[in-house]
Amino acid sequence: MASASATIRPAVRGEAPSAAIEAPSAIEVAALRSDRFRIEREDDWRRLEAILDRIESGRLRKLSDDDVLALPALYRTAASSLAVARETSLDAATIAYLESLVQRAWFQVYGPRVGFVRWLRGFLGGGLSQAVRDIWLEICIALAVMVAGTVVGWLLVARDTEWFYTLVPSQFTDSRQPGASREVLRESLAVTEYEGGMSAFAAQLFTNNTGVCILAFALGFAFGVPTLLLLIYNMAVLGAMLWLYNSQGLLPEFAAWLAVHGTTEFFAILLAGAAGLHVGRKMAFPGRRTILNATAEGGRRGAMVLVGCSIMLIFAALLEAFPRQMATAETRALLGGFMLIFWLTYFFAFGRGRPKEETA
């Protein structure tokens, strides 16, 4: 291939002067193409930059209606120019300028309108409780399923103790299994003075329980059926453990031992399962909306509930690692009852009457 900078041929008498001009080099051609590209679009870029400068400096009143209406179109024009610039390998300065311009415009067109602190204040100040109240139907269904799972676990083990080993994970069957004496079971509920390693224990519990909540929510996308099965299984484990301690007359002590963190932990699992069911119901019964839009709406509401569940599980892990291990049965029961009343009040009484636009 001949070089672009090579002379075409020497000029001879009688020929047009242009034939004797050297062809521009490849660098010169690229520079000319870049300059022409920039000149053709620079007015739109400068206008977009001026609009962004005014927005970012807080001078919104100086924006005209035309500028506000033009902002999305100018953003798309700049994004298209950036794509072309990258594809045709225009000069690095033009690409860097467009990347910065498009990034700034994206935040103004699609970026969040509130900071994290303001979002968190709205979330805890009524947004979370409103989202929970919005899925009350799924909460009722999940609660009924969890109660049924507990009863099923109890009845299965009462009928045949081999079900205990089928339902309960092996890490819970060290000394707590059918046939264990009352003293052995009571010892597993005893107060301990040992505090070492409880921080790591709390972190482990938080990780495990968060995984259960995320799974209960994520399985809702299969129309909620796997979520229901997961709730039944987890509560069948509880039913089996309740039967075990009841068989030795220790049901009140075990309930107190469980309540100190269980009223928060099982509440979080209930809400996560309900959020998953909410997404599944939106998919199955989208109403007049498209399935995609209905699912997206349910997903946003469910995700908000799931964030609240994560906060609840932090409390549950701390309660499980410290007060449960060091408090007496009476204190455990009081703490568990207090946490249950707190969550019920927060979710179903707090923030009522707030406009939905502020809490969504």
Side-chain angles (χ1 to χ4, degrees):
M1 179 180 294
S3 169
S5 62
T7 302
I8 297 176
R9 61 185 174 87
V12 296
R13 185 185 298 274
E15 285 187 331
S18 59
I21 297 176
E22 289 187 352
S25 66
I27 296 178
E28 291 171 335
V29 170
L32 290 172
R33 187 172 66 244
S34 179
D35 289 343
R36 187 166 57 248
F37 178 85
R38 183 165 188 145
I39 290 171
E40 290 174 352
R41 296 164 176 80
E42 196 167 26
D43 289 344
D44 287 339
W45 302 348
R46 294 300 182 192
R47 185 184 178 190
L48 176 59
E49 187 177 12
I51 294 173
L52 294 175
D53 287 342
R54 286 195 290 271
I55 294 176
E56 292 169 351
S57 62
R59 294 175 292 167
L60 295 177
R61 293 182 178 179
K62 294 186 177 181
L63 282 178
S64 65
D65 293 341
D66 290 340
D67 286 340
V68 174
L69 294 174
L71 177 59
L74 291 172
Y75 159 70
R76 288 190 290 270
T77 300
S80 175
S81 298
L82 176 60
V84 174
R86 286 172 172 169
E87 185 69 22
T88 55
S89 301
L90 294 183
D91 65 278
T94 301
I95 294 176
Y97 170 77
L98 287 174
E99 286 178 340
S100 174
L101 188 64
V102 170
Q103 186 179 48
R104 292 171 59 196
W106 184 90
F107 277 106
Q108 297 304 329
V109 176
Y110 299 109
R113 294 290 181 268
V114 297
F116 175 75
V117 174
R118 184 177 176 185
W119 173 86
L120 184 62
R121 189 167 58 242
F123 176 76
L124 297 177
L128 175 59
S129 55
Q130 180 62 56
V132 169
R133 289 194 293 272
D134 287 342
I135 62 171
W136 66 269
L137 178 60
E138 289 81 6
I139 291 176
C140 293
I141 296 173
L143 179 60
V145 170
M146 291 175 72
V147 171
T150 304
V151 173
V152 167
W154 179 300
L155 293 178
L156 285 175
V157 179
R159 184 182 179 88
D160 184 355
T161 55
E162 288 300 317
W163 275 104
F164 183 87
Y165 302 101
T166 303
L167 295 174
V168 180
S170 58
Q171 63 264 30
F172 298 144
T173 59
D174 43 6
S175 61
R176 296 167 289 188
Q177 51 185 298
S181 65
R182 178 183 174 86
E183 289 70 24
V184 170
L185 293 179
R186 183 189 290 276
E187 181 65 26
S188 66
L189 307 177
V191 175
T192 177
E193 300 288 339
Y194 178 65
E195 300 181 25
M198 285 187 176
S199 297
F201 182 50
Q204 181 185 4
L205 292 172
F206 171 75
T207 302
N208 177 73
N209 295 332
T210 301
V212 173
C213 286
I214 292 175
L215 192 60
F217 173 71
L219 292 176
F221 286 93
F223 299 100
V225 175
T227 297
L228 295 175
L229 297 177
L230 181 68
L231 293 178
I232 290 175
Y233 169 72
N234 278 278
M235 299 313 294
V237 175
L238 175 63
M241 296 298 291
L242 289 172
W243 174 89
L244 174 66
Y245 281 89
N246 182 68
S247 66
Q248 295 295 343
L250 294 172
L251 184 58
E253 289 85 347
F254 179 69
W257 179 84
L258 191 64
V260 65
H261 75 284
T263 49
T264 298
E265 181 180 274
F266 289 121
F267 209 151
I269 294 175
L270 167 67
L271 295 181
L277 291 176
H278 181 69
V279 177
R281 185 171 69 86
K282 290 292 183 182
M283 291 178 63
F285 306 102
R288 295 182 177 181
R289 288 165 293 184
T290 64
I291 294 179
L292 188 61
N293 288 338
T295 304
E297 179 190 345
R300 286 193 294 272
R301 186 175 293 123
M304 181 175 289
V305 174
L306 194 63
V307 173
C309 293
S310 300
I311 297 174
M312 294 176 69
L313 289 175
I314 294 175
F315 281 94
L318 294 175
L319 291 169
E320 189 168 6
F322 298 100
R324 193 187 74 173
Q325 303 297 330
M326 296 181 287
T328 61
E330 293 78 10
T331 305
R332 290 167 177 169
L334 287 174
L335 279 173
F338 171 79
M339 293 306 300
L340 179 61
I341 294 173
F342 171 79
W343 293 122
L344 287 173
T345 303
Y346 176 72
F347 287 131
F348 298 105
F350 177 70
R352 282 190 173 276
R354 291 170 61 96
K356 278 202 168 186
E357 292 74 15
E358 296 181 9
T359 58

